[in-house]
Amino acid sequence: MKKLFLSTVLAALISSTAFADQITLGIDAASVTQLDPHVSTKVGDKIVFGMVFNGLVRFAPGSMLADDIEPDLAESWERSDDGLTWTFKLREGVQFHGGYGELTADDVVYSLERAADPDRSGVSSDYAEVQSVTALDDYTVEIKLSQPIPSLLGIVANYHGGNIISKAAAEELGENFKGQPIGTGPYEFVELADGQYLKLSAHEDYFRGGPSVEDVVVRFIPSASSRELAFRNGELDMFTGTREDRWIDRFENEEGALVDVFQPGELRTLHLNQSMEPFDDIRVRQAIAHALNRDELISFMGESVANLNPSPVPGGYLGHDPSLEGIAYDPERAKELLAEAGYPDGFTTTVYITERPALLTPMQIIQAQLREVGIEVELEVTEHSAWHAAIRDNVSAMVLYGAARFPVADTYLTQFYHSDSTVKTPTAVTNFSHCDVADEPIDAARSEADPDKQIELWADAQAVIVEDVCSVPLFELLQVWGRSPNVDFGYELTGALSLGPLINETTTKSE
């Protein structure tokens, strides 16, 4: 009874106070779902992964640019002339959390083979060209490819499957690893109170030096107004903000508040499910594209956080084609196309959407725009995790999705538009549209050694996806966080593929 009482008091303290030796984050999530970096790609989980794990290489803190990739667990690497063999030399003395000992090449082999295994990984398609991963000795890893991968450093970076885990911990914990992750990062997992908070503590043996901030607490607060209130009450040091100009202007004028707006811009794309009628008719897909007013969407979200992008690949990614114009807003032409397709009075369809405002709000605007041309969209609004499950179960006629990936066109094109990635198939990733028209240029670009030709092939893929209207790319939405001036990241925050600020050994908090 005494132990239970103390535990309850501790939980109350953690969830109500931002201590001087602790940074408390409030995130837009009901909880973390699975603390396994090879399985989960959800935002709340990824924010935690960035603090717990390392990759062979990493994006420099505060950046998501491929040009800023630098050594992490590997201190150096070499690439063969044909691009098929990569050799990584590991740092010596790197320690895992929880007393699991020194990281060796065996842990790297285990992690990358696990990331490539569709039975144990949600990102296995990224590793389809990995032929073998071999430990040449305790501190040397060799990766052999069946064909060159344009984003090889991306899939061994500190992102998704590139995060290195402890082989001993994973084998010992089994299914429990997802609730007790063991990595080598600046912070180690302490406890999870489902639906309330997650606590991390400084990894004193971190190879870059122990963090100065002792604890990081992640509180789960799905309500935007509740996060703001908790911040004003001194319970949070930083939190997921609202990605709208109106919110930024208001919050920046509050005393003791800063706003961080940073990359990546998650590309909001409306995927049209060609496995369902009437979306198997290109005239219907064209009509939907003509009915959507991107300018109105951007105006509502705000130009400081939303950027127009008619390409199926986000801007700033290597291989993005900035020349694409997409299908112009023309509601009268939309009505004509619907009539030609046999729907002069429009039709009704059901779309599943998350309750989170960053997707729900633009979907409601899209709903109103489509109603103007006769298409009635009935929205099934669900909890975020349930929505993820539903769209992967292929039950939604359209999927409004926002995502950021390693900034190379291959990653985005493969995961969202290659037929191998179609949902409800053995190799499913996030091809919600059942698109299959761009496989040839996507595959050809992946093995193309000439960089200029590779760019041309990626452009061909984007053009055919737009022509077939597999989806309607709308706009990119930047990340927005509120922060206390007492927190100094220790680096300039311009981008974060984890979609949240990284708290690491350089981060400090003043009184």
Side-chain angles (χ1 to χ4, degrees):
M1 182 66 74
K2 183 177 180 181
K3 181 180 288 186
L4 177 60
F5 173 76
L6 290 174
S7 176
T8 303
V9 171
L10 177 62
L13 286 171
I14 287 174
S15 63
S16 65
T17 308
F19 297 109
D21 57 352
Q22 169 183 302
I23 288 180
T24 306
L25 293 71
I27 67 170
D28 182 9
S31 191
V32 290
T33 57
Q34 192 158 206
L35 292 171
D36 186 331
H38 300 158
V39 176
S40 177
T41 59
K42 295 181 181 177
V43 174
D45 300 349
K46 290 199 290 189
I47 291 170
V48 176
F49 297 155
M51 295 180 271
V52 173
F53 297 99
N54 297 94
L56 289 176
V57 298
R58 71 171 185 174
F59 292 89
S63 173
M64 55 158 282
L65 299 178
D67 289 345
D68 290 338
I69 283 180
E70 61 186 23
D72 202 11
L73 295 175
E75 58 186 11
S76 63
W77 57 89
E78 295 179 354
R79 173 184 178 274
S80 64
D81 291 340
D82 60 8
L84 296 177
T85 302
W86 291 70
T87 307
F88 294 85
K89 185 67 176 176
L90 304 181
R91 298 177 189 268
E92 298 185 19
V94 174
Q95 296 297 311
F96 279 110
H97 306 150
Y100 277 94
E102 184 185 13
L103 172 137
T104 69
D106 286 341
D107 296 294
V108 176
V109 172
Y110 177 84
S111 297
L112 295 181
E113 288 182 343
R114 185 176 186 265
D117 182 354
D119 292 331
R120 297 183 290 169
S121 168
V123 292
S124 60
S125 62
D126 290 350
Y127 301 85
E129 285 79 25
V130 175
Q131 196 171 66
S132 65
V133 186
T134 306
L136 300 184
D137 57 45
D138 283 349
Y139 303 106
T140 309
V141 176
E142 179 186 78
I143 299 175
K144 285 190 173 292
L145 308 175
S146 58
Q147 60 183 30
I149 301 178
S151 55
L152 186 279
L153 289 181
I155 68 170
V156 298
N158 55 333
Y159 182 67
H160 288 176
N163 287 303
I164 303 302
I165 69 174
S166 164
K167 176 183 178 181
E171 291 182 339
E172 176 185 322
L173 297 170
E175 281 296 308
N176 292 328
F177 183 86
K178 65 184 180 183
Q180 191 177 337
I182 302 295
T184 55
Y187 286 90
E188 57 185 310
F189 174 82
V190 176
E191 65 176 325
L192 169 65
D194 189 33
Q196 298 180 55
Y197 66 87
L198 175 144
K199 183 179 180 182
L200 307 173
S201 284
H203 178 33
E204 299 301 335
D205 293 326
Y206 184 51
F207 62 88
R208 288 190 173 91
S212 64
V213 176
E214 185 175 337
D215 297 316
V216 175
V217 173
V218 180
R219 287 182 57 190
F220 310 122
I221 312 177
S223 165
S225 59
S226 297
R227 292 195 299 274
E228 279 192 58
L229 180 60
F231 179 82
R232 292 192 185 97
N233 289 341
E235 300 170 23
L236 301 177
D237 298 297
M238 61 180 69
F239 66 99
T240 310
T242 300
R243 292 189 271 183
E244 296 177 2
D245 275 359
R246 298 180 291 279
W247 185 87
I248 293 173
D249 291 341
R250 173 174 60 80
F251 194 74
E252 280 185 325
N253 288 322
E254 293 195 13
E255 186 177 352
L258 299 174
V259 175
D260 295 297
V261 180
F262 54 95
Q263 291 283 354
E266 293 177 86
L267 178 56
R268 292 294 189 259
T269 302
L270 188 66
H271 298 270
L272 307 180
N273 191 340
Q274 297 179 49
S275 72
M276 293 185 178
E277 294 182 352
F279 302 94
D280 55 342
D281 189 325
I282 191 172
R283 294 169 297 184
V284 171
R285 302 197 300 275
Q286 290 170 336
I288 290 171
H290 279 300
L292 298 182
N293 186 340
R294 294 179 178 89
D295 291 336
E296 183 179 43
L297 283 161
I298 291 173
S299 177
F300 185 87
M301 304 308 294
E303 293 184 1
S304 69
V305 295
N307 303 318
L308 178 68
N309 181 13
S311 167
V313 172
Y317 282 41
L318 177 65
H320 163 79
D321 185 358
S323 68
L324 287 174
E325 297 181 358
I327 297 177
Y329 172 58
D330 188 343
E332 293 307 313
R333 179 56 182 153
K335 294 176 183 178
E336 291 173 1
L337 285 163
L338 288 174
E340 291 174 17
Y343 301 95
D345 300 319
F347 60 89
T348 300
T349 190
T350 301
V351 169
Y352 284 73
I353 190 67
T354 173
E355 62 188 355
R356 293 191 178 178
L359 285 167
L360 176 57
T361 299
M363 190 65 233
Q364 290 170 328
I365 297 172
I366 290 168
Q367 179 187 39
Q369 291 179 351
L370 292 177
R371 184 177 295 122
E372 292 297 315
V373 301
I375 300 175
E376 287 292 334
V377 177
E378 297 178 347
L379 295 181
E380 289 284 345
V381 183
T382 68
E383 185 274 328
H384 195 64
S385 294
W387 170 72
H388 270 287
I391 60 178
R392 285 164 174 76
D393 199 33
N394 199 43
V395 298
S396 189
M398 295 184 277
V399 175
L400 180 64
Y401 203 81
R405 298 289 184 260
F406 179 74
V408 172
D410 172 72
T411 310
Y412 219 89
L413 292 171
T414 296
Q415 293 187 10
F416 288 96
Y417 298 102
H418 197 287
S419 62
D420 286 349
S421 300
T422 303
V423 293
K424 291 210 79 173
T425 67
T427 54
V429 189
T430 46
N431 183 348
F432 303 111
S433 63
H434 295 248
C435 186
D436 61 4
V437 296
D439 287 6
E440 186 175 338
I442 292 172
D443 289 337
R446 190 173 299 128
S447 59
E448 178 55 58
D450 182 340
D452 292 333
K453 179 61 176 174
Q454 190 175 64
I455 296 290
E456 291 177 12
L457 288 165
W458 281 330
D460 291 344
Q462 291 166 76
V464 72
I465 289 166
V466 169
E467 182 180 357
D468 197 58
V469 203
C470 294
S471 67
V472 186
L474 299 168
F475 60 91
E476 295 171 7
L477 195 60
L478 299 175
Q479 311 303 313
V480 177
W481 278 65
R483 170 170 56 100
S484 164
N486 293 344
V487 175
D488 182 345
F489 296 133
Y491 56 83
E492 182 182 0
L493 178 58
T494 61
L497 278 176
S498 62
L499 308 185
L502 172 67
I503 309 302
N504 68 9
E505 76 286 353
T506 69
T507 305
T508 57
K509 178 182 174 182
S510 59
E511 295 289 342

